[in-house]
Amino acid sequence: AFFTALLEPLIYRRKLLWYEVWLGVLVIFGLLLISGTSSAQLNLAGLSQGDASTGIKEALSKGLTTAVLNLNKSDGFFKTAYKVLLPPDAQKIETTLRKIGMGAQVDNAILSINRGAEKAVGSAAPIFGKAIREITLTDALGLLKGGNNAITQFFRNKTQQSLIEAFTPAVKSSLDSTSATKYYTDLVNTYNKLPTTMKKVNPDLTAYVVGKSVDALFDQISKEEANIRSNPAARGTDMLKKVFGGN
């Protein structure tokens, strides 16, 4: 269509039809995309399931290392998008106590909760690392062809519940050591004793912080996976270069 649209006006001296030119351009663009996809598939065709599986586990491990480094430090949660606020069921506690002049106590509780989360993720490396090593990949090549976070999503779907169970003791210990449990319990007790409190509340702080911590870890791993896929400089090992491309 593209070449016909250009040549016919010259041969038959008719008006140039621009929509035919644009149609031809779109066809050529589509062929280029198909060609690029075929090249990517050709690169993957040279990989064994074993290499693909090893590469995927290395990508997850690299993402985990990055996640722990970014989160397991002062303000890794508190001054980032991962900041942990009070549980949704406890929002009424915060609102009420701030109104009666207990804002400082609320702030102390929130800060200590985030310090607990920051400390807890330091224990994530061996727990998550064990899950990465033990995961079974029956379609490693398929995951490589997936979207920017296909590997992370697969890992999360397969392991999240067991990771939460394994991670809970570490989070509880961290919350206790940073006095988050005490500050939070004091807030809950104060609120529940107020004469205006019609319904007592006591949300599970540990379970809530475990969920927030696991979400943050997986989000960081997902971002590192996308970085490995799109940025050749992020592929620091020979296996990652072999699996994701070394250019």
Side-chain angles (χ1 to χ4, degrees), residues 102-115:
M102 294 186 64
Q105 289 89 330
V106 173
D107 291 337
N108 282 337
I110 292 174
L111 175 61
S112 63
I113 288 170
N114 281 271
R115 293 293 182 250

Side-chain angles (χ1 to χ4, degrees), residues 58-146:
E58 282 198 16
L60 287 171
S61 295
K62 188 173 187 297
L64 175 61
T65 299
T66 300
V68 172
L69 287 174
N70 287 340
L71 298 171
N72 181 222
K73 61 184 180 182
S74 181
D75 295 333
F77 276 82
F78 188 64
K79 291 187 177 181
T80 69
Y82 304 115
K83 182 177 182 179
V84 183
L85 302 176
L86 294 182
D89 290 344
Q91 292 298 316
K92 61 181 72 174
I93 296 177
E94 177 176 358
T95 301
T96 301
L97 296 186
R98 287 191 186 281
K99 285 181 179 179
I100 62 174
M102 294 186 64
Q105 289 89 330
V106 173
D107 291 337
N108 282 337
I110 292 174
L111 175 61
S112 63
I113 288 170
N114 281 271
R115 293 293 182 250
E118 290 158 5
K119 182 176 181 180
V121 294
S123 303
I127 296 170
F128 278 57
K130 182 174 183 289
I132 290 171
R133 290 190 299 273
E134 293 179 350
I135 194 169
T136 300
L137 296 165
T138 58
D139 188 19
L141 290 172
L143 289 176
L144 292 177
K145 297 174 187 176

